[in-house]
Amino acid sequence: MLQRYDERNADLRYWVNGALRHRDEPGISPFDSVVQGGDAVWEGLRLYDGGIYGLHEHLARLRRSAVALGFEGVPADAEIIAALRETLAANGMRDGAHVRLTLTRGVKVTSGMDPRLNASGCTLIVLAEFKAPVYDTGGLTLVTSSVRRPGPDVLDPRIHHNNLINSILAKIEANVAGADDAMMLDGRGFVAETNATHLFAVAGGELHTPRAVACPEGITRDTVLRISPVAVHVRDLAQVEMYTADEVFCTGTMGEIAGVVTIDGRPIGDGKVGPVTRQIAELYRAHARANAVPV
């Protein structure tokens, strides 16, 4: 799965702390914490007909993550929403757009990892792009990565942080193997998620998904838990259970709901996107559009 460049994004404007800049215009200081050490938190948002689905849930998770990392000067939700609104308006975006919302610890007075070097408060970055859901609806292929997803004893996944090297290493393995994405296990050997999305298995007409032990508590994942027309079980899932499931699908803001047709060369079910996956994908799209918060 390789995302495509959209020509409509050639002249997009992005927001940094009150200023809108052309995509080719630099706007982040080399002293910013996100540059110095990946010291930032982020959210992915999707625009549906002038609204953002799960906006308040995303902002709440952003704030929880910032509090957990001890950020100071975190902007109010109203300030973030105003920045979102101005960025979307500047780019003429109303639908079919994805927003990368980033909040860093801010600019340091000199290089170093010590948070006491940050004296100017947080940096807010809003990057909106025209971008349809990125996954092939015909079915994805996964390979199991050798890179494990850390648990809360290493780096609590409830902090939605910008340190994505763990995921990037897994994605590199998937690329080398010719797969769309990587399935990642936790430190105990149970399924965590992919390098970019949460996973669900369909077995016996019911859904099964890993506990949020080594993966974040996803907004799309939570929506599926709430709107699923069939029973859902949240539990530890073994790798072999994914191989032998009737269907597998992944969830995420950027890709919505996407079926998985092979894992480690093994066809899932009949090797096609299954009926439960298709039903939930339709329910999710309708739910997201009907419940998007106007911006």
Side-chain angles (χ1 to χ4, degrees):
M1 187 279 298
L2 180 63
Q3 294 184 47
R4 305 294 182 186
Y5 170 69
D6 191 321
E7 292 288 349
R8 293 177 297 173
N9 295 320
D11 289 310
L12 65 80
R13 266 65 179 170
Y14 71 100
W15 169 288
V16 180
N17 276 1
L20 281 166
R21 302 173 183 272
H22 187 273
R23 63 174 294 158
D24 296 333
E25 180 186 358
I28 306 299
S29 168
F31 289 98
D32 196 281
S33 292
V34 72
V35 179
Q36 292 275 318
D39 190 4
V41 295
W42 69 281
E43 292 292 324
L45 313 174
R46 181 161 287 285
L47 187 67
Y48 296 93
D49 192 24
I52 292 175
Y53 176 65
L55 175 61
H56 298 302
E57 291 84 353
H58 279 288
L59 293 182
R61 186 171 67 176
L62 185 80
R63 189 168 300 278
R64 289 195 303 271
S65 298
V67 168
L69 290 176
F71 285 10
E72 296 184 0
V74 177
D77 285 1
E79 183 179 342
I80 297 174
I81 292 170
L84 279 167
R85 185 179 296 118
E86 188 168 341
T87 304
L88 293 171
N91 291 293
M93 294 174 176
R94 182 171 177 80
D95 198 79
H98 180 270
V99 181
R100 177 83 172 209
L101 184 67
T102 304
L103 187 70
T104 87
R105 193 183 296 274
V107 178
K108 294 178 176 293
V109 295
T110 187
S111 296
M113 70 171 62
D114 192 335
R116 291 174 296 181
L117 298 174
N118 292 78
S120 57
C122 293
T123 299
L124 176 65
I125 306 165
V126 184
L127 173 61
E129 297 179 87
F130 287 107
K131 184 174 291 189
V134 298
Y135 289 122
D136 180 1
T137 56
L140 304 177
T141 60
L142 303 181
V143 293
T144 302
S145 173
S146 66
V147 180
R148 295 298 178 97
R149 181 67 86 199
D153 59 326
V154 177
L155 183 57
D156 198 319
R158 288 173 180 79
I159 302 173
H160 207 235
H161 56 81
N162 277 57
N163 263 301
L164 301 180
I165 294 298
N166 179 263
S167 296
I168 292 168
L169 288 171
K171 178 63 174 175
I172 290 171
E173 289 190 346
N175 290 347
V176 171
D180 292 304
D181 267 337
M183 184 170 74
M184 302 183 71
L185 309 180
D186 65 21
R188 304 166 301 151
F190 291 108
V191 175
E193 58 175 349
T194 77
N195 54 277
T197 57
H198 291 91
L199 283 166
F200 284 79
V202 181
E206 298 180 338
L207 296 188
H208 303 261
T209 194
R211 295 189 297 128
V213 173
C215 65
E217 296 169 323
I219 309 302
T220 310
R221 171 184 180 271
D222 180 67
T223 300
V224 172
L225 295 178
R226 290 186 286 108
I227 70 171
S228 173
V230 300
V232 186
H233 306 279
V234 180
R235 61 181 181 84
D236 287 334
L237 279 174
Q239 183 180 18
V240 70
E241 292 183 87
M242 306 302 286
Y243 294 158
T244 59
D246 300 319
E247 303 175 36
V248 171
F249 63 86
C250 57
T251 67
T253 300
M254 187 177 285
E256 298 182 334
I257 312 296
V260 175
V261 294
T262 66
I263 302 177
D264 295 334
R266 297 162 173 83
I268 306 303
D270 62 2
K272 299 177 182 178
V273 177
V276 176
T277 299
R278 293 189 185 281
Q279 181 184 16
I280 290 175
E282 291 174 5
L283 288 172
Y284 176 81
R285 283 192 292 268
H287 181 84
R289 287 193 171 275
N291 292 278
V293 178
V295 291

